Amino acid sequence: MSIASMKSLLKKAEEGNYAVGFHNVIDSVSLTGILNAAQEKHAPIMVGIAQVQCEKFVDFDSIMNLLVHECEKASVPVGIHLDHGLDIEMIRKAIDLGCSSVMIDASGYSLAQNIKITQKVVELAHANGVSVEAEFGQMNDEISEEAQETCFTDVEGAIKFVQATDIDALAVSFGSVHGIHDTVPALNLTLLEHLHKDIPVPLVMHGGSGHDRRTYHQVIDRGIRKINYVSYGYQRVAAKVREYLMNNPYTVYDNISYLAIDAFKEVFGEVVTSFRSEGKA
C-alpha cells in the first residue's frame, strides 16, 4: 500500500469521529511492533521522528530509509511524519527523503513571524504533495495550571493563523503536556470545544499519552483528529521487557528484541482501540 498523506488520513478521521495515532519511532523494533499493532487492528496510523531526536541520537537518513521501506509494505494506510520541525532546511530534507507530512513548529515566535515561517513551509510542502501541521499556542512541559494557562491557544489568533497559512492540521494547546509526570494534566475541554467550532482544519493533541480511554473519547468528540502518543507507550514497553528480564536473567539479546516487538504491538494495539481507529483502515 502506498504511503498516505496526513490530510487524507485526518479527513477520514473527521468523517468517522476518531483520531489517528502518531508515534515516534527510533529503530526497527519500535516501528515493527507499532505497524504490527495497526495491521492487526486494521487501523490507519502515522509514524515518524522529531527533529530533536535526529539531533541527539537517531540518524535521519537511516531511519527514513527504514520508514519508507516498511511503511510501503503495510496493509493499512500509514503516514510518515516529521514531528516538531524547527527549520526549513530540515523540512526540505524530510520531504526529499519521503515524509508525507511535516510539522513546522514556530509557536515560540510572534503571530506575524509564525505566519511568515509557516507560509514558506506550506508553499514548499504543498508543491511536493506533502501535508503540513503547524502549532499555535505552546506546549508547556510544566504541569501546573498557572503555567499551562499562559500557553493556551487563543481562538481568535488561531483563526487568523489558519486563514493566513493554508495549513492542513493545527496543533493546539489546551492543557496536555509532553513527557511523563506524577499527576495527570488537567485538560481545558471548553477551550477545545471552541477551537473545534471555529477552526476549519483538523486539530492535533500533543503530549497525548498518559490519559485514560474516557479522556481520549472526550477530546475526540471535541475535534481532536491526531494524537501524538509516545512517552507513556515507551514506558509501558520498557516495563514489560524489564519484568521479563527479571524472571529470565539469561535471555540473549535477539530474544529481547523479539519480546520488545511483541510488547510494542500489545501496548500500541490498546492505543488504537482507545483512539477509536480500530477497523477504520
Side-chain angles (χ1 to χ4, degrees):
M1 181 172 287
S2 61
I3 295 166
S5 71
M6 179 182 68
K7 185 174 183 177
S8 66
L9 291 172
L10 301 192
K11 181 178 185 294
K12 291 180 180 178
E14 179 67 32
E15 294 168 351
N17 193 35
Y18 61 90
V20 176
F22 166 73
H23 314 297
N24 293 86
V25 297
I26 59 170
D27 56 18
S28 63
V29 169
S30 53
L31 176 60
T32 301
I34 291 170
L35 288 180
N36 286 350
Q39 291 174 116
E40 182 177 88
K41 298 289 186 178
H42 304 286
I45 204 164
M46 293 177 64
V47 291
I49 192 79
Q51 179 169 343
V52 66
Q53 291 176 291
C54 298
E55 293 172 347
K56 290 182 178 179
F57 54 84
V58 179
D59 182 79
F60 192 39
D61 294 76
S62 296
I63 195 70
M64 282 300 302
N65 284 335
L66 177 66
L67 282 163
V68 171
H69 178 72
E70 294 300 324
C71 292
E72 283 182 338
K73 297 190 301 180
S75 61
V76 296
V78 182
I80 302 178
H81 184 68
L82 174 68
D83 189 32
H84 287 286
L86 302 174
D87 56 76
I88 194 75
E89 291 77 16
M90 184 65 170
I91 287 170
R92 191 185 308 276
K93 185 173 184 179
I95 293 170
D96 290 342
L97 290 176
C99 280
S100 57
S101 61
V102 293
M103 178 190 182
I104 174 62
D105 183 0
S107 59
Y109 294 95
S110 66
L111 172 59
Q113 192 68 5
N114 193 351
I115 288 174
K116 183 178 180 181
I117 294 169
T118 302
Q119 285 174 332
K120 291 180 180 178
V121 170
V122 169
E123 181 180 5
L124 170 65
H126 283 183
N128 288 276
V130 172
S131 307
V132 178
E133 173 188 339
E135 183 171 323
F136 189 79
Q138 284 184 274
M139 290 297 302
N140 193 326
D141 292 343
E142 295 183 36
I143 203 167
S144 70
E145 185 175 345
E146 295 79 9
Q148 285 299 308
E149 287 183 355
T150 63
C151 299
F152 280 168
T153 298
D154 172 68
V155 178
E156 294 303 317
I159 293 171
K160 295 176 183 177
F161 179 75
V162 171
Q163 289 174 340
T165 56
D166 193 31
I167 56 172
D168 302 295
L170 181 68
V172 292
S173 176
F174 60 100
S176 57
V177 182
H178 284 132
I180 295 172
H181 301 272
D182 293 332
T183 58
V184 178
L187 304 180
N188 188 331
L189 297 178
T190 300
L191 172 59
L192 184 57
E193 286 180 358
H194 290 311
L195 290 166
H196 180 43
K197 176 178 176 291
D198 294 330
I199 303 300
V201 298
L203 303 180
V204 179
M205 179 182 186
H206 282 245
S209 56
H211 298 277
D212 58 24
R213 185 171 297 186
R214 176 175 175 269
T215 301
Y216 292 127
H217 290 181
Q218 287 177 325
V219 300
I220 290 168
D221 287 338
R222 290 163 176 81
I224 291 294
R225 298 294 167 240
K226 171 175 172 277
I227 300 177
N228 288 24
Y229 184 106
V230 184
S231 300
Y232 282 82
Y234 273 65
Q235 184 187 53
R236 290 179 60 199
V237 169
K240 289 179 179 294
V241 173
R242 182 168 56 249
E243 181 182 4
Y244 181 86
L245 292 177
M246 289 178 65
N247 295 323
N248 301 272
Y250 300 109
T251 301
V252 295
Y253 178 76
D254 55 346
N255 286 335
I256 298 174
S257 298
Y258 303 143
L259 170 69
I261 289 172
D262 288 341
F264 270 103
K265 178 182 174 182
E266 179 183 351
V267 168
F268 284 84
E270 294 173 7
V271 172
V272 163
T273 301
S274 293
F275 292 176
R276 292 180 179 158
S277 54
E278 182 174 1
K280 299 300 195 299

